[in-house]
Amino acid sequence: MGLVKTEIFTEQQNEIALFAKVFGHPARVAILQHLFKINACICGDLVQEIGLAQPTISQHLKELKQLGLIQGNVEGTSVCYCIHTENWIKMKKIMFQFLDQDSPEKDCC
Amino acid sequence: MGLVKTEIFTEQQNEIALFAKVFGHPARVAILQHLFKINACICGDLVQEIGLAQPTISQHLKELKQLGLIQGNVEGTSVCYCIHTENWIKMKKIMFQFLDQDSPEKDCC
DNA sequence: GACATTAATCGTAATATTGCAATGAATAAA
DNA sequence: TTTATTCATTGCAATATTACGATTAATGTC
């Protein structure tokens, strides 16, 4: 085990879980917040900013990129990472829909 | 390793990551959606509904409860689980704030 | 009391994640 | 061409997560 049984869930449930999972690490939260703040960033900055080793940051960036939430453009020897605005908005809609379910008037029981 | 370095992140970043992490599994997403839908639920229902073994569901419920997102009241031999509305709203605010950061007008580079 | 029902807990196997040192690839600077 | 810089990749150790069988605890029913 240690293996999620994705096949028994809906596509929507798996998608929500995938997005949530990538936000489930403070380093990735911090990376995204930094990218939003300065709106353009090279990986080196992030290593300074966050305080994890360069390979670790690189790995977190890869996960964010795989989900399409950020994009990276090579620029000389450095790489410029930034938010993929269009995909971010798509993700936001999906997550909002999940988080913003109507709360029942009062808790049961 | 395999150990998150929480101490190098802000409280806010760690909190966001904690909430996101609990949503990072489709079973927990499904449980929450079901609780929202029927607004009162016993664990047995969920075992039928979701299709995972009873101990597994019980474990997922525990994690949701630990974060305060659901509450469980004993009712005879069964337990009635439901959304903890107040805490859910608090969580929603925190997550919205993170997800709804201003997108830059256009992607950098 | 004896038995059934329901859900929590324990123990454990399989797998995933985190973090980093070492290394590699690509470009820029000399 | 050599060297420096920047970031990706590889490999690995430590830890976390997922899932479930077996068991336990608690309550209800007979």
Side-chain angles (χ1 to χ4, degrees), chain B residues 1-49:
Chain B
M1 286 93 220
L3 173 63
V4 176
K5 288 187 158 183
T6 49
E7 70 277 6
I8 67 172
F9 302 103
T10 68
E11 245 182 75
Q12 187 219 21
Q13 287 163 344
N14 284 315
E15 194 178 25
I16 292 169
L18 270 186
F19 281 129
K21 201 162 152 190
V22 92
F23 299 139
H25 193 293
R28 292 190 289 264
V29 171
I31 288 172
L32 290 166
Q33 287 180 331
H34 193 62
L35 286 183
F36 268 114
K37 201 170 86 186
I38 74 168
N39 187 22
C41 191
I42 55 170
C43 181
D45 276 8
L46 288 168
V47 174
Q48 305 303 314
E49 182 74 18

Side-chain angles (χ1 to χ4, degrees), chain A residues 13-77:
Chain A
Q13 287 163 344
N14 283 315
E15 194 178 25
I16 292 169
L18 269 186
F19 280 130
K21 201 161 151 190
V22 91
F23 299 139
H25 193 294
R28 292 190 289 263
V29 171
I31 288 172
L32 290 165
Q33 287 181 331
H34 193 62
L35 286 185
F36 268 114
K37 202 170 87 187
I38 73 167
N39 187 23
C41 191
I42 54 168
C43 180
D45 276 9
L46 288 167
V47 175
Q48 306 301 315
E49 182 75 20
I50 313 262
L52 288 170
Q54 179 266 321
T56 308
I57 298 290
S58 192
Q59 193 176 295
H60 285 306
L61 287 168
K62 193 179 169 187
E63 287 175 65
L64 289 167
K65 201 173 173 185
Q66 266 169 354
L67 261 187
L69 295 175
I70 64 173
Q71 58 191 146
N73 299 82
V74 179
E75 214 162 83
T77 48

Side-chain angles (χ1 to χ4, degrees), chain A residues 7 15-16 42 54 67 73 78 86 90 93 100 108:
Chain A
E7 69 276 8
E15 194 178 25
I16 292 169
I42 54 168
Q54 179 266 321
L67 261 187
N73 299 82
S78 60
E86 192 187 323
K90 277 186 196 164
K93 271 184 194 147
D100 211 17
C108 75

